[in-house]
Every structure is written in structure tokens, then in C-alpha cells.
């Protein structure tokens, strides 16, 4: 059996502001439906992704900005960062973990180490090893995204 993650419901406070942000970031608009004043749906897909996000009004009771650690995998971290910055998105500088540990601390665009032995170092992973270089950004509500450079997939991926 194959299970594919297809869609993530993103909690936002202002549907129009969120839509403008994600379209500015280059996400493709797939659907925008205003059923009523209480129920609105916006569906967008990141460039090249098979998975999408959906947000709106009447979709979730989650607190706006509470989605954290949403990963966008890229083949060139510096190019992806530059493109987002060129689109007016505020993105952290590229960084890597000095101890080689998978980056997993993220809160509203900021790195949170939580005593996990991570050491954030400026710049990409020196050997540009897959899964080793990161940058972060947040949407206007504080939902936190991580760009992760992957040039060669782990076996079975």
C-alpha cells in the first residue's frame, strides 16, 4: 500500500493576506472558493511539489501560526533562498548544524535547539551533503517553513 501525503491544512487568521503571501512566494493557486462568509477555501501548491496546502475560513480550529517545521526540499539552497528573497519573502541566512545532526528545531522562523545538541553554523554544510543545509521563513501568521537542500535522496525515497 502506498500512502502519499497530499495536503496540509494550514491555520491562518486572514485568508486574503495568506493567499497573497503564498502567491508572492511562487505557490500555484489551484482553487479559491468562497462558499459563504463562514466558509472559504484556498488551495495552493509549491513549485514542483506533489503535496499542497489548503487554508481558509471554517477549515480548522488550530491556532493561526501554530504549524511549524513545514519542509520544502530544494536541490540548491542558495538559489532557492535567493529566489524567495527576490520575490520579497524574508528568509533566514543559509545555515547547517555543526554536529551533523538533522535539523529539527523550528518555531515561527527561528531556530530552537531545545537542548538537543545542535549547533547552528552560518553557511551551507561544507561538503554540501544532502539533508545538511537549511534556511527558514514564516508566513504572516508565523507558520514556520524550512528549506532543506537534498541533492541525493536516501535509499528508498
Amino acid at each position: 500500500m502506498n500512502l502519499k501525503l497530499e495536503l496540509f491544512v494550514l491555520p491562518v487568521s486572514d485568508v486574503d493576506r495568506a493567499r497573497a503571501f503564498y502567491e508572492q512566494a511562487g505557490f500555484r493557486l489551484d482553487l479559491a472558493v468562497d462558499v459563504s462568509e463562514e466558509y472559504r477555501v484556498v488551495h495552493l501548491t509549491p513549485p514542483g511539489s506533489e503535496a499542497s496546502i489548503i487554508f481558509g475560513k471554517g477549515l480548522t480550529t488550530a491556532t493561526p501560526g501554530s504549524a511549524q517545521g513545514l519542509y520544502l526540499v530544494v536541490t540548491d539552497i542558495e538559489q532557492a533562498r535567493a529566489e524567495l528573497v527576490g520575490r520579497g519573502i524574508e528568509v533566514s541566512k543559509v545555515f547547517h548544524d555543526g554536529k551533523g545532526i538533522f535539523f529539527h528545531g523550528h518555531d515561527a522562523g527561528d531556530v530552537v535547539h531545545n537542548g538537543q545538541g545542535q549547533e547552528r553554523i552560518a553557511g551551507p554544510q561544507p561538503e554540501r551533503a544532502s539533508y545538511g543545509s537549511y534556511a527558514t521563513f514564516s508566513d504572516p501568521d508565523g507558520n514556520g517553513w524550512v528549506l532543506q537542500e537534498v541533492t541525493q535522496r536516501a535509499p528508498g525515497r
Side-chain angles (χ1 to χ4, degrees), residues 89-141:
I89 306 300
E90 187 175 322
V91 183
S92 76
K93 299 288 186 185
V94 174
F95 64 93
H96 66 282
D97 181 66
K99 296 182 180 179
I101 299 171
F102 178 75
F103 173 71
H104 58 274
H106 187 268
D107 185 25
D110 296 320
V111 175
V112 180
H113 291 293
N114 298 327
Q116 301 298 317
Q118 293 179 322
E119 180 183 352
R120 180 177 174 168
I121 298 177
Q125 198 276 342
E127 289 82 40
R128 296 298 284 266
S130 279
Y131 305 97
S133 300
Y134 310 92
T136 60
F137 69 95
S138 295
D139 72 11
D141 283 295

Side-chain angles (χ1 to χ4, degrees), residues 5-117:
L5 180 61
E6 188 79 21
L7 187 67
F8 184 82
V9 178
L10 200 61
V12 302
S13 62
D14 183 318
V15 177
D16 296 322
R17 180 180 69 175
R19 176 180 171 177
F21 174 83
Y22 286 105
E23 286 184 317
Q24 181 178 347
F27 286 41
R28 180 189 70 229
L29 177 65
D30 297 318
L31 177 73
V33 178
D34 294 349
V35 176
S36 69
E37 185 61 34
E38 292 78 37
Y39 188 68
R40 296 180 65 195
V41 178
V42 177
H43 178 272
L44 298 118
T45 303
S49 180
E50 292 185 24
S52 301
I53 60 170
I54 190 169
F55 54 82
K57 194 169 183 182
L59 294 181
T60 182
T61 58
T63 303
S66 62
Q68 300 299 315
L70 302 164
Y71 277 69
L72 294 169
V73 172
V74 299
T75 56
D76 185 321
I77 192 78
E78 292 172 324
Q79 179 184 358
R81 180 187 181 279
E83 185 172 328
L84 285 169
V85 168
R87 291 174 164 275
I89 306 300
E90 187 175 322
V91 183
S92 76
K93 299 288 186 185
V94 174
F95 64 93
H96 66 282
D97 181 66
K99 296 182 180 179
I101 299 171
F102 178 75
F103 173 71
H104 58 274
H106 187 268
D107 185 25
D110 296 320
V111 175
V112 180
H113 291 293
N114 298 327
Q116 301 298 317

